[in-house]
Amino acid sequence: MAHDRYGTWPSPIDAALVAAHDGKPEYLGAVGEELWWTAPRPAEGGRRALVRLRPDGGGVAETVLPAPWNARNAVIGYGGHPWAGIARPEGGPLIAFTDHGDQRVHALEPDAPGGAAPRPLTPPAGPGGQLRWCDLRPHPERGELWAVLEEHREGGTVRRVPVAIPLDGSAATAPAALRELTPEGPRFVTCPRLSPDGRRAVWLAWDHPRMPWEGTELKIADLGPDGRLTGVRTLAGGPEEAIAQAEWAPDGTLLATTDRTGWWNPHRVDPDTGEAVNLCPREEEFAEGLWRIGWRWSAPLESGLIAVLHGTGGMRLGVLDPATGELADAPGPYGEWAPSLAVQGSRITGIAAGPHTGWQIVQLDTTTGHTRVLAEHHRDPVDPAYYPRPRTRTVTGPDGREVHATVYPPAHPLATAPAPEDERPPYVIWAHGGPTSRAPVVLDLEIAYFTSRGIGVAEVNYGGSTGFGRAYRERLREQWGVVDVADCAAVARALADEGTADPDRLAIRGGSAGGWTAAASLTGADTAGLYRCGTISYPILDLASWTGPGTHDFESRYLDSLVGPPAEVPERYRDRSPVTHADRITAPFLLLQGLDDTICPPEQADRLLAALAEGGGPGVPHAYLTFPGEGHGFRRAETIVTAVESELALYLTVFGVERPDAPALELRR
């Protein structure tokens, strides 16, 4: 090919391939010498499968339960750690897991004769999942499982409390067999971690209006003879200190990852006085936002060493010597490790990926210093020459502030790009969700779907993102819809000004909080005309209706910090909402929405379309696609295919690119 126009390049990466590789392994854990985790199954209704890797299985991972079993739960909307395992000397392991279909905890004995079906351990959840469970912790010596119970009551009230679940299944029909471990306290809790001597337990707690990355408390209590935790007191933390994780080391040392220095660093905490010593004082993050209860960024080893995830703008695996503060990183091309670590003797296993590889189960042997892939092996479905080569960038935003981004230029092994004076590539600015989150630098076939066709992508870690310290996160305090929009625009303008991107063919897209940023960018006065179109997925569009009962309990007070207390600054809720300024939208857009979304319900999208209709006139070309059975984020293969193809169709139409295999998309006014 010679001088092929951007956007016209043929690509072997189709939407079906993107869908087949959507999602990643999660919630890795050890059960004796075995490893277990959950894995996505887009072709099976988007369920999460339980996966088992035996030490003598020849490296072949087994899917344990068939569809429709779905190892997920809906605690705090996003779910929490959904399973726990007990290694037994005979009969194989006992696995407890939550099923998304009925929100109950079930027990599974995979090696039982005849393959016994799972049996329930908890009562029926009731209509709408009134009882939900997560962060399961086994205590076989006590004949029970500890977990977080989330109870939804009449009138919309929600309570969460740590509970003991009998392993004999008695609570399945007799709820009185459940034992609440503590009196009802803060609105949000993690499951207590019992000390090695069995005398004390620690857990994290926080309450509205704080989010867990804003302020949490480390609780400690004694385990009484009746099996309840007594003498509950706060050991560390508070409104301006976020503790992301707390663990007991095998020798009884209490470890906590706190951002009291402005960065999430590992500390040793005195369980009597609360005095904390920073074990590795660095301007790096050793944790991120606790979006799912049970995420784990560190794990102590029997040797006294600590496996930690750490970095700035990325998370890599290291081994920390708490006595010296020395930190040695695991070798390999893995720039990202998920918050899920398992320790077996001197071995550390995690879920890792890199810019040219997908997520794999990777193990580090601390005695040899070598890493190896155990499962979920990356295999290139196409020639890697079709993958983009990411470039980490820092651009200057408003007031001279730094804005972090990753740029994925168009890449194709056969196409010859036009000379810069003839044509520059179109670019799509990707705004991540959260917004207190981050876009990792890993191989993503959805990005490659666009770049291999000649459309560049730039992911922006705007102010408010994790990975760059507390001060960077707090740039978004009361500035949501301002800082995120300006930072995305700064990256778009920088790419255009330097000649990397065509200034007349810029687009913006995002989902959830990223959908908010995309919509706010299309309606913002300071970004008018910057973007030629936008893709908005399961978004927040009307702030005033997204507080309290307008969303799920976990984020129902999130806007207090992102925007300001609604009773004190009601004008901000009105003035920043895209629905208020729908008349400013001049760029075509694609709106994608799951109809079962309880976090950003369809009413948000409906309000924007209603506001557009009220404006009269010829209207803005747009498409609104809805997906029954999909919640917050898309999991089903057929949904992902439609969403990806429709997004490409929008860009081809707006950017004036013709190609014979262009997907169809009807834009209405």
Side-chain angles (χ1 to χ4, degrees):
M1 303 180 195
H3 305 297
D4 301 285
R5 287 199 63 203
Y6 290 109
T8 67
W9 303 348
S11 173
I13 304 174
D14 60 16
L17 193 64
V18 173
H21 289 79
D22 186 70
K24 67 180 181 182
E26 291 180 327
Y27 301 118
L28 174 74
V31 184
E33 288 299 304
E34 298 185 359
L35 291 167
W36 288 66
W37 63 92
T38 73
R41 297 289 185 264
E44 299 176 18
R47 77 181 184 107
R48 300 288 305 187
L50 263 177
V51 179
R52 176 188 193 183
L53 182 65
R54 308 178 198 229
D56 57 354
V60 178
E62 311 165 38
T63 298
V64 177
L65 290 170
W69 292 104
N70 190 353
R72 288 176 56 207
N73 55 71
V75 173
I76 70 168
Y78 296 103
H81 202 291
W83 72 272
I86 299 170
R88 301 183 297 183
E90 297 181 359
L94 173 67
I95 305 297
F97 70 97
T98 59
D99 178 64
H100 195 265
D102 62 11
Q103 292 297 318
R104 301 174 82 177
V105 179
H106 298 263
L108 169 68
E109 298 181 73
D111 296 338
R119 55 184 172 86
L121 295 181
T122 55
Q130 294 168 322
L131 302 180
R132 305 172 184 178
W133 314 82
C134 80
D135 205 11
L136 313 182
R137 307 285 295 186
H139 292 282
E141 71 285 354
R142 305 181 62 85
E144 61 192 23
L145 185 75
W146 289 8
V148 172
L149 163 63
E150 178 180 272
E151 182 179 5
H152 293 251
R153 295 174 166 177
E154 292 185 8
T157 61
V158 184
R159 68 189 291 264
R160 297 174 187 86
V161 65
V163 169
I165 305 167
L167 287 170
D168 63 9
S170 56
T173 55
L178 299 169
R179 185 179 74 257
E180 296 190 2
L181 296 172
T182 68
E184 186 175 350
R187 198 176 187 99
F188 301 95
V189 295
T190 63
C191 186
R193 271 56 172 163
L194 193 61
S195 60
D197 61 11
R199 294 176 50 239
R200 295 186 282 196
V202 294
W203 65 98
L204 302 180
W206 68 97
D207 218 332
H208 283 322
R210 295 191 301 276
M211 300 299 288
W213 43 84
E214 295 170 351
T216 56
E217 295 179 344
L218 175 58
K219 300 288 188 180
I220 190 167
D222 300 320
L223 183 63
D226 63 351
R228 288 179 167 81
L229 297 171
T230 63
V232 178
R233 61 189 178 91
T234 298
L235 192 60
E240 301 300 324
E241 178 183 357
I243 301 173
Q245 184 183 342
E247 296 277 351
W248 298 96
D251 65 359
T253 300
L254 178 58
L255 305 171
T257 306
T258 168
D259 70 350
R260 59 174 54 187
T261 65
W263 297 82
W264 271 306
N265 283 181
H267 287 66
R268 180 177 63 248
V269 180
D270 188 311
D272 296 315
T273 67
E275 180 181 351
V277 177
N278 195 335
L279 299 177
C280 194
R282 294 189 179 195
E283 289 191 348
E284 293 185 19
E285 300 284 41
F286 288 72
E288 296 183 284
L290 187 63
W291 280 98
R292 299 189 186 181
I293 297 174
W295 271 356
R296 197 182 195 198
W297 295 269
S298 65
L301 282 72
E302 293 178 358
S303 63
L305 300 175
I306 307 171
V308 295
L309 305 184
H310 71 105
T312 303
M315 299 296 274
R316 58 190 182 274
L317 174 64
V319 180
L320 172 65
D321 184 341
T324 65
E326 293 181 358
L327 184 59
D329 284 341
Y334 313 111
E336 291 285 353
W337 291 73
S340 187
L341 295 173
V343 169
Q344 297 164 301
S346 61
R347 292 162 291 155
I348 304 165
T349 310
I351 304 168
H356 312 302
T357 59
W359 295 95
Q360 305 176 94
I361 307 299
V362 180
Q363 186 173 87
L364 167 68
D365 187 330
T366 60
T367 60
T368 65
H370 294 156
T371 57
R372 63 184 180 125
V373 178
L374 297 183
E376 304 284 351
H377 295 264
H378 172 81
R379 293 180 176 84
D380 292 308
V382 299
D383 184 343
Y386 287 96
Y387 303 157
R389 297 295 184 261
R391 303 171 185 171
T392 302
R393 294 286 306 276
T394 301
V395 307
T396 301
D399 303 322
R401 65 177 180 251
E402 290 185 343
V403 181
H404 302 287
T406 305
V407 179
Y408 296 85
H412 197 290
L414 302 177
T416 302
E421 61 271 19
D422 296 330
E423 184 185 7
R424 297 175 187 173
Y427 260 81
V428 184
I429 303 298
W430 284 28
H432 65 70
T436 312
S437 185
R438 180 177 59 86
V441 185
V442 299
L443 176 62
D444 184 339
L445 289 187
E446 187 172 6
I447 292 176
Y449 176 85
F450 294 102
T451 58
S452 62
R453 287 166 169 76
I455 299 173
V457 170
E459 290 193 294
V460 183
N461 286 315
Y462 46 80
S465 301
T466 57
F468 307 96
R470 183 164 185 134
Y472 195 85
R473 293 202 312 274
E474 294 199 339
R475 285 185 188 177
L476 211 57
R477 183 173 289 275
E478 300 194 3
Q479 294 296 309
W480 196 36
V482 179
V483 165
D484 51 321
V485 170
D487 286 0
C488 286
V491 172
R493 291 182 173 121
L495 295 176
D497 291 345
E498 69 190 24
T500 298
D502 184 343
D504 294 323
R505 293 190 294 174
L506 294 171
I508 188 165
R509 67 100 83 165
S512 188
W516 155 270
T517 300
S521 298
L522 296 182
T523 58
D526 294 337
T527 48
L530 177 62
Y531 303 107
R532 292 297 179 261
C533 60
T535 299
I536 305 166
S537 302
Y538 38 92
I540 301 156
L541 299 169
D542 181 13
L543 293 176
S545 66
W546 199 75
T547 59
T551 184
H552 64 147
D553 182 62
F554 178 58
E555 295 179 272
S556 61
R557 298 290 300 278
Y558 196 5
L559 299 187
D560 281 40
S561 60
L562 289 177
V563 182
E568 297 178 17
V569 288
E571 70 285 352
R572 287 185 195 164
Y573 285 71
R574 179 185 65 253
D575 294 343
R576 292 187 193 173
S577 293
V579 296
T580 306
H581 305 292
D583 60 311
R584 294 180 182 172
I585 300 179
T586 59
F589 66 91
L590 170 64
L591 186 57
L592 304 170
Q593 180 67 52
L595 294 182
D596 292 352
D597 193 339
T598 59
I599 295 172
C600 294
E603 289 77 14
Q604 289 285 318
D606 295 340
R607 287 188 177 94
L608 179 67
L609 298 178
L612 280 173
E614 291 173 2
V620 178
H622 67 276
Y624 180 37
L625 305 182
T626 59
F627 304 97
E630 291 282 12
H632 197 64
F634 303 144
R635 297 176 176 272
R636 299 178 176 181
E638 59 270 26
T639 301
I640 297 167
V641 167
T642 298
V644 170
E645 290 184 343
S646 298
E647 185 175 352
L648 175 64
L650 173 71
Y651 302 148
L652 296 178
T653 300
V654 174
F655 295 155
V657 178
E658 295 184 2
R659 54 182 301 150
D661 61 346
L665 178 68
E666 181 182 359
L667 295 175
R668 300 181 178 182
R669 294 182 180 269

